[in-house]
Amino acid sequence: MRIAIDRLAVAYDDRRVIDGLSLTIDPGTIFTLLGPSGCGKTTLLRAIAGFVPVAAGRILFGETDVARLPAHRRNIGMVFQDYALFPDKTVFENVAYGLRARRTDDAAVRRRVGEALDRVGLGAFADRLPAALSGGQRQRVALVRALVIQPDVLLMDEPLSNLDSKLRHQVRETISELQREAGITTVFVTHDQDEALAMSDRIGVMNAGRLEQVGAPAEIYRTPHTAYVADFIGAANILSADLAAPAAAGATVRLAIGGRHVGAVCPQPLPAGPVRIVVRPEDIAMAPADGATDEMLSARVVRRHYLGAKTGYAVTLTDGTRITIDVSGPDHDRFATGDSVAVRIDPSRALAIAP
Amino acid sequence: MRLDLRSIWVWLSFAMLALLGVFLVYPVANIFLASLGGPGRGEGWAIVFGDPRYLRAIANTLLLGTAVTLAAMGVGVPLAYLTARYDYPGKAIVSILPLVTLVTPEVIVAQTWLMMLGNNGLIRRWLLEHGVVLPSFYGWFGLTTSMTFIYYTYAYIGTLAAIRGFDVQLEEAARSLGSSPVRARLRVLVPVVLPAILASALLIFTLVVGNFALSMILGGRVELLSVKTYQAAVSETTSNPVLQSTLASVSISIVMIVLFAQRWIVSRGRFEIVQGRVARPSRLRGVMALGFAAAASLVVVVSLLPLAAVVAGAFTVSRGPVMRWGQWTTANIDRVLSRSPEPLYNTMTYAGAATAIAIVLSALIGYLIVRRRNAVTPLIDYITALPLALSGTALGIGLIHAFNTGWITLTGTAAIIVLAYVIRRLPFGLRNASSTLYNIPRSLEEASISLGVPPGRTFLKVILPLMAPALAAAAVLTWTTTVAELSTSIIVYSGGRETIPIQIFKLIEGGLMAQASAYGLVLVAVILAPIVVATRIFRIDLFASRA
């Protein structure tokens, strides 16, 4: 089912925390709302669920505007950060809860709950209380409880944040599999960029109640439209530079930085003047100072982190700007702190954006 | 905050507000209004402040409050400190003290002191035989002694909770910075636990001001506000509603001022203790240990004495007021159970009804205040705290005057007793209900709603079952305190509606201690039965939400 949000506004005590937000989520896809805490992503999710009142605008599930429908009539499945399993009910009764609310007959309840629990490998745990389950098991119960009612949309509020990193990967897989099997439109809230990149069909990066950028994971990572998005997704060096002449979208430009010129791509049209360059640490090459060419900037290594598969370096340019560089491949740890080096920013990977 | 008139919770809030308005705000407002009424405006206040007897009663009440508070803190605070920080022989028994005071009605405590140290008391007579003459127990001596040994438990419980909540690492930090152990304790522990200690001191003060049973029975010639108020309320000849209301207003005003001071202290002193490590009690040995153990056991013995005395008294042969100690009989119990069991029936009926009503109201109001806040709920929150400022006597006067005539006439009915019980216990039931609600994650409710169950049914299917243990604990505590309630019921009851505490009070006034003891024993059984059932069979922690 398609979710379409149209000029949505949400207010707490007359203060609008979301104002005029529009968004379309394609049927059967996972859409991730990504952002730091307080950016409004959970508020948006709860507005879709019906737990916070909508001040203005529409929320369409398919053709139906649900914005003014109470939460229990929206036919949603919701998975909570703290699992929200009913502690006094068995695993079976937790999963059966929504079916019973829909007056499903007993035989069908037993069959569907049994199948659902088997699907996530918890068939043997049906009679246990939630307290007797591990964190990962609880989250799987919460997931099938939300899915067994065959909701129109699945809403997930940071469902992995209470799990340790190994379990997080397992449950992430389970979520992706079940979501694809059910073909259910899913909205996923997280502040974890890796999770967002790995799981989503599309990502919306939120900032101060607005969607800063919406796009596929690779698009968000490769071509952030703003410094905020670049900084939030992955590590990024954000440098100041000057653009001599206005540039059209998609143009490759040359920028003055630290007395030298470097190349960069403009994803959007830019006026002349101060701009910012966004470049990922892995898109900067480093060479010994004696091999410097015109395209390269001189720098000095100030810190070095050996990470096994790669080495992360912090270097300062001659004007004092500090950048981080990831070097991989053979001998990636060959530079030492204090070494004079030359760095080269890959012009096809560097982005010029508005300051 | 918004008022969404389509929400059933908003309508429920209005309904609760109306209910509280009629049955709680109106009687209380009525006291203050009536105190200003009368033929000459302000006549009541003129009488009270013009008559040295009333002024003396107010002064005596404040003096008694101060004396008992200091003495009770002197017993309770060291006991709590020792129990929190040290192991000493017999420590386990100290931990039952809160339960002992809970199950011992004040009227029985008063009776015990009389049987032991009264004019004809057991200990007094024994000492007399050995040539020791004790001063009369009626008056200041009896009042301070008896109240100290009831109210020290509040100091004990409050201080113990504060010391246990204290992060001992702070003390270690102070020592690592160069403070000596004693200095570290004084400089670090004391400021952190002091607000809790002061808060319990002020609580004790308000309880002394409102105390009825001990003041009445042991007061002797000492004029006290609660006694004067009660006498004004029940005296047939000088039945002056203006005077009664004025005296009640004075008592309410004193308690309100103290409670505001308490709230101020608590709100100022709320230090954030991040994840604490509780101090490990160190073991005491030798003379110190024996000394502590002796002091602690003295407190325990005095606290347990009323229960022992009531059992002994109930089975002791008596002729009129004379107790034949050492001669045993079951006649007293027989008489209470077979010939005049009405007080027992009355007590159980009224307390049962009041418990049921108080728990339903606590669950509903607690849910509204904690989970369904709207423009009305803060008002409900304030109103439900009002009974804390009402002494039993003041509430009784308010109820009598408010429901004597008019649309709702309750005077002379059983309903007014039940109403009095409900009002007195509501703040405590509500405290249990809301503290458990704060511990039930909001997401559970949302999970249920997201699965298609409407909010009202979600409350019944998800929230209520999770509140059940706390509500059961609240029900037990409501029951144990209402069956022992005396100060309000003795004003609002009418002939034939005596409860056990009222009956005991009357028998004590008539000097019939053996019969009073028999009723006392029945009362203790009525109090203990649900506690035993709750803690042993259902394994409910009665004090879970008190700390």
Side-chain angles (χ1 to χ4, degrees), chain A residues 221-222 233-237 279-286 310-312 324-328 344-346 349:
Chain A
Y221 185 79
R222 289 271 53 117
I233 303 258
N237 292 296
V279 59
R280 304 281 178 198
E282 68 269 26
D283 294 332
I284 304 175
M286 201 156 91
K310 61 181 182 185
T311 301
T324 59
I325 302 172
D326 283 353
V327 178
S328 47
R344 178 176 181 274
I345 294 171
D346 182 344
R349 295 291 199 172

Short mmCIF file of all heavy atoms in Angstrom, two decimals, chain A residues 221-222 233-237 279-286 310-312 324-328 344-346 349:
data_model
loop_
_atom_site.label_atom_id
_atom_site.label_comp_id
_atom_site.label_asym_id
_atom_site.label_seq_id
_atom_site.Cartn_x
_atom_site.Cartn_y
_atom_site.Cartn_z
N TYR A 221 24.42 8.68 0.15
CA TYR A 221 25.81 8.59 0.57
C TYR A 221 26.72 9.31 -0.43
O TYR A 221 27.60 10.07 -0.05
CB TYR A 221 26.22 7.12 0.70
CG TYR A 221 27.61 6.94 1.25
CD1 TYR A 221 27.84 7.06 2.62
CD2 TYR A 221 28.69 6.65 0.42
CE1 TYR A 221 29.10 6.92 3.15
CE2 TYR A 221 29.96 6.51 0.93
CZ TYR A 221 30.17 6.64 2.30
OH TYR A 221 31.44 6.49 2.81
N ARG A 222 26.48 9.06 -1.72
CA ARG A 222 27.38 9.59 -2.73
C ARG A 222 27.15 11.07 -3.01
O ARG A 222 28.08 11.83 -3.21
CB ARG A 222 27.24 8.80 -4.05
CG ARG A 222 27.78 7.41 -4.00
CD ARG A 222 29.27 7.31 -4.38
NE ARG A 222 30.18 8.17 -3.66
CZ ARG A 222 31.16 7.75 -2.85
NH1 ARG A 222 31.37 6.46 -2.67
NH2 ARG A 222 31.97 8.60 -2.26
N ILE A 233 25.59 11.20 7.38
CA ILE A 233 25.78 9.87 6.78
C ILE A 233 27.26 9.65 6.55
O ILE A 233 27.86 10.29 5.70
CB ILE A 233 25.06 9.77 5.43
CG1 ILE A 233 23.59 10.07 5.59
CG2 ILE A 233 25.33 8.44 4.77
CD1 ILE A 233 22.73 8.87 5.62
N GLY A 234 27.85 8.77 7.30
CA GLY A 234 29.25 8.43 7.10
C GLY A 234 30.14 9.57 7.53
O GLY A 234 29.69 10.67 7.82
N ALA A 235 31.44 9.29 7.56
CA ALA A 235 32.39 10.34 7.88
C ALA A 235 32.58 11.19 6.64
O ALA A 235 32.60 10.67 5.53
CB ALA A 235 33.71 9.73 8.33
N ALA A 236 32.69 12.48 6.82
CA ALA A 236 32.91 13.33 5.65
C ALA A 236 33.82 14.48 6.04
O ALA A 236 33.75 15.00 7.15
CB ALA A 236 31.58 13.87 5.12
N ASN A 237 34.71 14.85 5.10
CA ASN A 237 35.48 16.08 5.26
C ASN A 237 34.71 17.19 4.59
O ASN A 237 34.25 17.04 3.46
CB ASN A 237 36.85 15.94 4.60
CG ASN A 237 37.70 14.93 5.34
OD1 ASN A 237 38.06 15.12 6.48
ND2 ASN A 237 38.01 13.81 4.66
N VAL A 279 33.98 15.60 0.87
CA VAL A 279 34.73 14.47 0.33
C VAL A 279 34.93 13.44 1.42
O VAL A 279 35.27 13.76 2.56
CB VAL A 279 36.06 14.95 -0.31
CG1 VAL A 279 36.92 15.68 0.70
CG2 VAL A 279 36.82 13.79 -0.94
N ARG A 280 34.64 12.17 1.04
CA ARG A 280 34.74 11.08 2.02
C ARG A 280 36.20 10.74 2.28
O ARG A 280 37.03 10.85 1.36
CB ARG A 280 34.03 9.83 1.48
CG ARG A 280 32.58 10.03 1.10
CD ARG A 280 31.70 10.02 2.32
NE ARG A 280 30.30 10.26 1.97
CZ ARG A 280 29.39 10.65 2.86
NH1 ARG A 280 29.73 10.85 4.12
NH2 ARG A 280 28.15 10.84 2.50
N PRO A 281 36.53 10.26 3.47
CA PRO A 281 37.93 9.95 3.79
C PRO A 281 38.54 8.94 2.83
O PRO A 281 39.74 8.98 2.55
CB PRO A 281 37.85 9.36 5.20
CG PRO A 281 36.60 9.91 5.77
CD PRO A 281 35.65 10.08 4.61
N GLU A 282 37.73 8.02 2.28
CA GLU A 282 38.29 7.00 1.39
C GLU A 282 38.51 7.53 -0.02
O GLU A 282 39.08 6.84 -0.86
CB GLU A 282 37.40 5.75 1.38
CG GLU A 282 36.04 5.93 0.73
CD GLU A 282 34.93 6.34 1.69
OE1 GLU A 282 35.26 6.95 2.74
OE2 GLU A 282 33.75 6.06 1.42
N ASP A 283 38.05 8.74 -0.30
CA ASP A 283 38.20 9.29 -1.65
C ASP A 283 39.37 10.28 -1.73
O ASP A 283 39.45 11.09 -2.66
CB ASP A 283 36.90 9.99 -2.07
CG ASP A 283 35.76 8.99 -2.22
OD1 ASP A 283 36.06 7.81 -2.51
OD2 ASP A 283 34.60 9.38 -2.01
N ILE A 284 40.22 10.24 -0.73
CA ILE A 284 41.40 11.09 -0.77
C ILE A 284 42.63 10.17 -0.78
O ILE A 284 42.72 9.24 0.03
CB ILE A 284 41.47 12.02 0.46
CG1 ILE A 284 40.19 12.84 0.58
CG2 ILE A 284 42.68 12.94 0.39
CD1 ILE A 284 40.11 13.70 1.81
N ALA A 285 43.50 10.42 -1.74
CA ALA A 285 44.71 9.59 -1.84
C ALA A 285 45.85 10.31 -1.14
O ALA A 285 45.86 11.53 -1.03
CB ALA A 285 45.06 9.34 -3.30
N MET A 286 46.81 9.55 -0.64
CA MET A 286 47.92 10.14 0.08
C MET A 286 49.22 9.58 -0.49
O MET A 286 49.32 8.40 -0.76
CB MET A 286 47.78 9.79 1.56
CG MET A 286 48.52 10.70 2.47
SD MET A 286 47.79 10.70 4.11
CE MET A 286 48.70 9.44 4.89
N LYS A 310 42.43 -1.14 7.09
CA LYS A 310 42.81 0.18 6.57
C LYS A 310 43.44 0.97 7.71
O LYS A 310 43.45 0.53 8.86
CB LYS A 310 41.59 0.92 6.02
CG LYS A 310 40.53 1.17 7.09
CD LYS A 310 39.32 1.88 6.53
CE LYS A 310 38.33 2.15 7.66
NZ LYS A 310 37.10 2.73 7.18
N THR A 311 44.01 2.13 7.35
CA THR A 311 44.53 3.02 8.39
C THR A 311 43.86 4.38 8.21
O THR A 311 43.76 4.88 7.08
CB THR A 311 46.05 3.17 8.29
OG1 THR A 311 46.63 1.86 8.42
CG2 THR A 311 46.59 4.06 9.40
N GLY A 312 43.40 4.93 9.31
CA GLY A 312 42.82 6.27 9.25
C GLY A 312 43.87 7.29 9.67
O GLY A 312 44.56 7.10 10.67
N THR A 324 40.48 14.13 7.38
CA THR A 324 40.75 12.72 7.69
C THR A 324 40.78 11.94 6.38
O THR A 324 40.03 12.22 5.45
CB THR A 324 39.69 12.13 8.62
OG1 THR A 324 38.42 12.26 7.98
CG2 THR A 324 39.64 12.84 9.95
N ILE A 325 41.65 10.97 6.36
CA ILE A 325 41.88 10.19 5.15
C ILE A 325 41.93 8.72 5.54
O ILE A 325 42.59 8.36 6.52
CB ILE A 325 43.23 10.58 4.49
CG1 ILE A 325 43.22 12.08 4.17
CG2 ILE A 325 43.49 9.74 3.24
CD1 ILE A 325 44.56 12.59 3.70
N ASP A 326 41.23 7.88 4.78
CA ASP A 326 41.34 6.43 4.98
C ASP A 326 42.19 5.87 3.86
O ASP A 326 41.87 6.05 2.68
CB ASP A 326 39.94 5.77 4.92
CG ASP A 326 39.17 6.00 6.21
OD1 ASP A 326 39.76 6.55 7.15
OD2 ASP A 326 37.97 5.65 6.24
N VAL A 327 43.24 5.18 4.23
CA VAL A 327 44.09 4.56 3.21
C VAL A 327 43.94 3.06 3.36
O VAL A 327 44.04 2.53 4.47
CB VAL A 327 45.56 4.97 3.40
CG1 VAL A 327 46.44 4.28 2.35
CG2 VAL A 327 45.71 6.47 3.33
N SER A 328 43.65 2.38 2.23
CA SER A 328 43.60 0.92 2.29
C SER A 328 44.54 0.38 1.22
O SER A 328 45.29 1.14 0.61
CB SER A 328 42.16 0.43 2.10
OG SER A 328 41.56 1.09 1.02
N ARG A 344 45.63 13.97 -2.51
CA ARG A 344 44.91 14.28 -3.74
C ARG A 344 43.45 13.93 -3.57
O ARG A 344 43.11 12.80 -3.20
CB ARG A 344 45.50 13.48 -4.90
CG ARG A 344 44.78 13.71 -6.21
CD ARG A 344 45.45 12.96 -7.35
NE ARG A 344 44.73 13.23 -8.60
CZ ARG A 344 43.66 12.55 -9.01
NH1 ARG A 344 43.21 11.56 -8.28
NH2 ARG A 344 43.07 12.88 -10.15
N ILE A 345 42.60 14.94 -3.77
CA ILE A 345 41.17 14.72 -3.65
C ILE A 345 40.65 14.27 -5.01
O ILE A 345 40.85 14.97 -6.02
CB ILE A 345 40.47 16.01 -3.20
CG1 ILE A 345 40.93 16.36 -1.78
CG2 ILE A 345 38.96 15.87 -3.25
CD1 ILE A 345 40.48 17.70 -1.29
N ASP A 346 40.00 13.11 -5.08
CA ASP A 346 39.47 12.58 -6.34
C ASP A 346 38.36 13.51 -6.86
O ASP A 346 37.31 13.65 -6.22
CB ASP A 346 38.91 11.18 -6.07
CG ASP A 346 38.38 10.52 -7.34
OD1 ASP A 346 38.17 11.24 -8.34
OD2 ASP A 346 38.16 9.29 -7.29
N ARG A 349 34.80 12.36 -7.14
CA ARG A 349 34.15 11.96 -5.88
C ARG A 349 33.88 13.16 -4.96
O ARG A 349 33.16 13.03 -3.98
CB ARG A 349 35.05 10.98 -5.12
CG ARG A 349 35.25 9.66 -5.83
CD ARG A 349 33.97 8.87 -5.83
NE ARG A 349 34.22 7.47 -6.09
CZ ARG A 349 33.30 6.52 -6.00
NH1 ARG A 349 32.07 6.84 -5.65
NH2 ARG A 349 33.59 5.27 -6.26
#
